[in-house]
Amino acid sequence: MQSIRGTKDILPQEIASWHAIENIIRSLTSQYGYQEIRTPIMEYAEVFKRSVGEETDIVGKEMYTFPDRGGDDITLRPEATASVVRAAIQHNLTAQQQIARLYYVGPFFRYERPQKGRQRQFHQFGSELMGSATPEADIEILSLAYDFVKTLGIKSHELNINTLATPTVRTQFKARLVEYFSSFQAELSEDSKNRLTTNPLRILDSKNPADKALCEQAPTLIEMLDSESKDHFDAVISMLDGLSIPYTLNPRLVRGLDYYSHTVFEITSTSLGSQDALGGGGRYDYLFEHFGGKHTPCIGFGFGMERLLLARSADQNIEQLPSSDVYVIGFETSESHNAVIGFAHELRTKLGKTVITDVQQRSLKSQMKEADKIGVKHVIIIGPDEARSTTCIVKHLETGNQYTKQRSDMEGLFTE
Ligand code: AMP
């Protein structure tokens, strides 16, 4: 039996790096005043169809959707924003003009062709700021995303930023794109030919070389901005400058999802290869209405955890696994084994030590060998003789020094 293609077991030797990232997520989000939300891994398919958009790759090609035994169409979530908005409306998290600052960490599912940095089950950390349309909200989210990548120690990163303007401007822009690309229909890739009718914006971030060449001369949205879109984007850019956050203006950045408007951004890393996006996000001011909620402007981002780990290990040494403090050894008699169990428990609860004991009733020699292999600092032996008395033998593995101590003097056990 093998794990499903595109899914991975995260093994004990890798977990220290996951914990390190998760710890940074928890401390940084709390510094910004964000609280965690955990939504179900499955939702009604409608949640994503209605928000992400029927014409996107995610909904069109990549969703794990199946009828459950009751006949409902269920989807394993491919992204978080739709679920978080669904939950925010259901639980009234933004009632009475309240701002909601939320973050999430967890698994997501997309039926994509697996390769380095691309899996069918992957993990994301993301944040959503709900209830504000101001450029200050954009800068809070951008600054959180940027601080996160910096704190992780990923050096080779670049923040790309663009505006998708208001829906009205975007509709005009789409029409101009269709006009432009229609005159090169024969040269467009099959996918992009289809996008001409379904989602012309997506032609701009096509990876196909022929499409890319045509995009060079394509009209850009920045030339068509109305004053509302321009003022908003200018304010965001000037605040980025104020915070000395470096960025690249990228007029071709459109992001895959239908629901974005105004600011969109992506953080890429050169250590990643072809799947170079660490994360991205943008403003989505109309998603609440889509779900039947009140108008609630929002902005958020999502980072791929596997890619953060890849970029991080390329840039620096990753964490050492935490080692155990003590190995407590007993042997031969049940009195000795019982004393070990009781004493190990006391060391954990009273001194907070990390303690390993044998569970295979092995000899003194093989337990010593294992303690050496694990790399504990101290071995404590409560053999048959010690078990009958109140003492134990403490051995400091690095120096080889060994001494007899009273078991009741727990504080003094580890000083020679
Ligand atoms: P998206 O929701 O498509 O903007 O994705 C946000 C981030 O999630 C991307 O920048 C990636 O880092 C990560 N991501 C998306 N899809 C996958 C996948 N199939 N495998 C691994 N990471 C992914």
Side-chain angles (χ1 to χ4, degrees):
M1 297 281 256
Q2 297 280 310
S3 60
I4 297 172
R5 185 166 136 80
T7 69
K8 273 195 181 154
D9 298 308
I10 300 167
L11 298 172
Q13 60 265 31
E14 303 163 79
I15 208 69
S17 307
W18 284 81
H19 287 170
I21 296 196
E22 285 159 11
N23 289 340
I24 290 171
I25 289 170
R26 294 193 205 299
S27 71
L28 196 63
T29 48
S30 102
Q31 282 185 305
Y32 275 82
Y34 284 64
Q35 288 179 316
E36 186 176 3
I37 182 162
R38 298 186 188 184
T39 62
I41 279 165
M42 46 187 190
E43 298 272 354
Y44 291 119
E46 202 51 31
V47 169
F48 305 105
K49 285 187 180 163
R50 217 196 276 187
S51 57
V52 178
E54 300 261 13
E55 307 303 346
T56 59
D57 285 352
I58 291 183
V59 173
K61 301 183 190 162
E62 297 167 1
M63 288 210 304
Y64 280 90
T65 299
F66 53 91
D68 71 5
R69 286 172 194 276
D72 285 321
D73 263 346
I74 302 296
T75 294
L76 299 184
R77 60 182 191 184
E79 62 105 48
T81 303
S83 311
V84 175
V85 168
R86 195 265 310 134
I89 296 171
Q90 187 173 334
H91 306 286
N92 231 354
L93 300 185
T94 52
Q96 284 142 16
Q97 316 290 310
Q98 235 173 283
I99 295 285
R101 290 185 166 90
L102 306 170
Y103 78 92
Y104 57 84
V105 185
F108 294 87
F109 306 86
R110 292 183 195 175
Y111 191 81
E112 294 191 87
R113 195 171 51 78
Q115 63 182 88
K116 188 178 171 206
R118 192 159 75 189
Q119 296 173 197
R120 291 182 173 171
Q121 176 176 330
F122 60 100
H123 297 77
Q124 278 189 354
F125 149 57
S127 290
E128 314 288 354
L129 173 50
M130 300 177 153
S132 167
T134 65
E136 285 80 2
D138 298 38
I139 211 71
E140 181 171 303
I141 279 289
L142 279 160
S143 159
L144 172 55
Y146 180 74
D147 279 358
F148 175 59
V149 174
K150 289 282 278 191
T151 312
L152 284 177
I154 296 173
K155 292 184 200 86
S156 52
H157 57 81
E158 184 178 72
L159 167 65
N160 282 268
I161 190 163
N162 190 23
T163 174
L164 295 182
T166 57
T168 320
V169 173
R170 205 163 53 249
T171 307
Q172 294 162 1
F173 178 57
K174 279 184 186 172
R176 272 191 66 181
L177 279 182
V178 171
E179 198 183 300
Y180 169 80
F181 284 116
S182 294
S183 43
F184 301 103
Q185 278 232 27
E187 292 158 60
L188 281 175
S189 69
E190 277 312 304
D191 271 348
S192 286
K193 260 183 220 147
N194 292 333
R195 288 177 187 137
L196 268 180
T197 45
T198 57
N199 194 350
L201 274 184
R202 287 299 311 278
I203 302 176
L204 292 178
D205 72 351
S206 167
K207 297 262 193 300
N208 178 286
D211 292 349
K212 272 178 141 173
L214 291 175
C215 287
E216 291 294 324
Q217 302 300 322
T220 59
L221 207 155
I222 213 99
E223 304 154 7
M224 299 176 60
L225 295 186
D226 58 2
S227 61
E228 179 192 340
S229 310
K230 187 171 182 328
D231 290 349
H232 187 94
F233 195 52
D234 286 349
V236 172
I237 293 299
S238 95
M239 283 189 267
L240 279 176
D241 290 335
L243 285 174
S244 303
I245 296 179
Y247 57 87
T248 304
L249 294 176
N250 181 351
R252 313 258 170 253
L253 178 67
V254 295
R255 309 268 308 139
L257 317 182
D258 272 1
Y259 52 60
Y260 288 118
S261 54
H262 288 295
T263 314
V264 286
F265 61 97
E266 203 157 81
I267 299 183
T268 55
S269 167
T270 48
S271 353
L272 283 182
S274 70
Q275 299 302 311
D276 66 350
L278 289 171
R283 177 163 278 291
Y284 54 99
D285 288 350
Y286 306 96
L287 199 50
F288 269 65
E289 284 112 305
H290 249 68
F291 281 143
K294 265 195 359 224
H295 177 68
T296 309
C298 307
I299 179 160
F301 63 71
F303 279 99
M305 300 278 279
E306 283 79 3
R307 295 199 196 162
L308 294 168
L309 284 158
L310 281 171
R312 209 162 166 248
S313 61
D315 282 349
Q316 62 180 6
N317 287 334
I318 49 172
E319 289 68 30
Q320 295 296 309
L321 296 175
S323 61
S324 301
D325 301 320
V326 191
Y327 196 116
V328 190
I329 296 179
F331 52 96
E332 285 172 11
T333 64
S334 59
E335 218 178 353
S336 159
H337 288 305
N338 286 340
V340 164
I341 290 170
F343 198 57
H345 187 251
E346 274 190 81
L347 285 171
R348 292 187 191 109
T349 51
K350 293 194 179 147
L351 289 193
K353 294 278 184 195
T354 309
V355 185
I356 305 284
T357 61
D358 168 64
V359 287
Q360 293 165 287
Q361 303 195 342
R362 290 176 301 179
S363 68
L364 168 64
K365 201 171 146 201
S366 42
Q367 291 184 60
M368 283 301 290
K369 252 197 196 158
E370 200 199 357
D372 227 17
K373 203 168 113 198
I374 294 174
V376 294
K377 271 202 197 113
H378 292 93
V379 162
I380 295 180
I381 302 168
I382 310 177
D385 290 345
E386 288 77 26
R388 260 179 265 119
S389 76
T390 55
T391 62
C392 61
I393 297 164
V394 182
K395 185 168 179 179
H396 190 280
L397 287 193
E398 225 167 72
T399 60
N401 291 344
Q402 188 169 306
Y403 35 93
T404 300
K405 291 271 182 180
Q406 285 297 324
R407 300 209 288 275
S408 57
D409 177 22
M410 293 194 88
E411 298 291 344
L413 278 178
F414 303 104
T415 48
E416 295 188 21

